């Protein structure tokens, strides 16, 4: 009886239950996580089908029909909207890690660029352009959009 009175816990990771609009690249990353999660749950069925397919090269359609159906049924069973929501939450949970990884890569690239610039004696404007790119990378990952009144103005714009 105590189970019926319990309130379901709110999941963490997604800022709200209404999904935020993500860019096409971000949605692609969510979809990749979703597919990986479904494949992980059906790994045994996929391995069985792959083993059958390796043995019967051209006759896969006919000789591996049972394994194919088992694999597809498993995928259909686990490919649910709830699993997609879980993949989206996992994507949001990994945002900070992706941001740190991008910063690490940018620092390494900047150090290599600085070394090459000093080694070959390239002009100073090359360094300044790379510095602007580094500042741009320092901005947080954009999820959703900014309204016109919340957008930062550029250096040449005035109100």
């Amino acid at each position: 009886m105590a189970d019926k009175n319990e309130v379901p816990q709110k999941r963490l990771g997604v800022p709200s239950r209404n999904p935020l609009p993500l860019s096409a690249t971000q949605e692609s990353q969510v979809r990749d996580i979703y597919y990986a999660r479904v494949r992980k749950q059906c790994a045994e069925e996929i391995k069985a089908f792959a083993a059958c397919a390796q043995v019967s090269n051209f006759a896969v359609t006919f000789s591996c029909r049972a394994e194919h159906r088992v694999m597809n049924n498993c995928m259909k069973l686990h490919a649910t909207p709830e699993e997609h929501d879980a993949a989206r939450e996992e994507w949001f949970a990994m945002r900070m890690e992706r941001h740190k990884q991008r910063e690490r890569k940018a620092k390494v690239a900047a150090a290599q660029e600085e070394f090459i610039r000093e080694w070959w004696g390239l002009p100073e404007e090359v360094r300044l352009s790379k510095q602007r790119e580094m500042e741009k990378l320092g901005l947080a990952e954009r999820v959703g959009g900014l309204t016109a009144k919340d957008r930062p103005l550029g250096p040449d714009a005035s109100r």
Side-chain angles (χ1 to χ4, degrees):
M1 294 235 173
D3 293 351
K4 293 180 183 178
N5 295 334
E6 288 183 17
V7 178
Q9 291 181 346
K10 184 178 178 183
R11 292 183 188 172
L12 298 177
V14 178
S16 72
R17 294 313 304 156
N18 296 331
L20 290 172
L22 300 176
S23 70
T25 304
Q26 293 166 338
E27 283 293 342
S28 171
Q29 292 169 353
V30 170
R31 200 170 36 251
D32 290 344
I33 293 170
Y34 169 65
Y35 292 149
R37 289 172 64 99
V38 172
R39 283 192 303 267
K40 184 178 177 183
Q41 292 173 342
C42 297
E44 293 301 317
E45 290 83 355
I46 293 171
K47 285 181 184 176
F49 176 71
C52 179
Q54 258 186 333
V55 172
S56 53
N57 295 333
F58 295 108
V60 171
T61 308
F62 305 108
S63 61
C64 299
R65 186 171 288 161
E67 290 87 350
H68 185 257
R69 284 190 179 142
V70 169
M71 180 185 71
N72 274 353
N73 288 338
C74 179
M75 300 280 267
K76 287 178 188 177
L77 180 68
H78 293 292
T80 61
E82 291 81 20
E83 191 66 34
H84 195 269
D85 290 343
R88 182 179 280 266
E89 288 177 7
E90 184 178 330
W91 183 86
F92 274 102
M94 294 185 330
R95 283 179 63 203
M96 290 308 295
E97 180 59 34
R98 285 193 307 274
H99 183 67
K100 289 176 186 175
Q101 192 175 28
R102 273 196 312 275
E103 284 179 344
R104 282 192 299 266
K105 284 182 181 179
K107 285 179 183 177
V108 168
Q112 290 173 344
E113 181 70 29
E114 184 68 21
F115 173 76
I116 290 172
R117 187 188 68 74
E118 288 177 6
W119 180 264
W120 292 102
L122 296 175
E124 189 68 18
E125 64 188 46
V126 172
R127 186 182 66 78
L128 294 176
S129 68
K130 289 297 176 186
Q131 186 177 8
R132 278 185 240 120
E133 288 178 21
M134 289 297 294
E135 290 171 358
K136 197 182 290 186
L137 281 175
L139 299 174
E141 181 177 29
R142 192 176 117 181
V143 176
L146 296 175
T147 59
K149 66 180 178 64
D150 293 335
R151 280 192 206 115
L153 295 174
D156 57 331
S158 63
R159 284 200 168 188

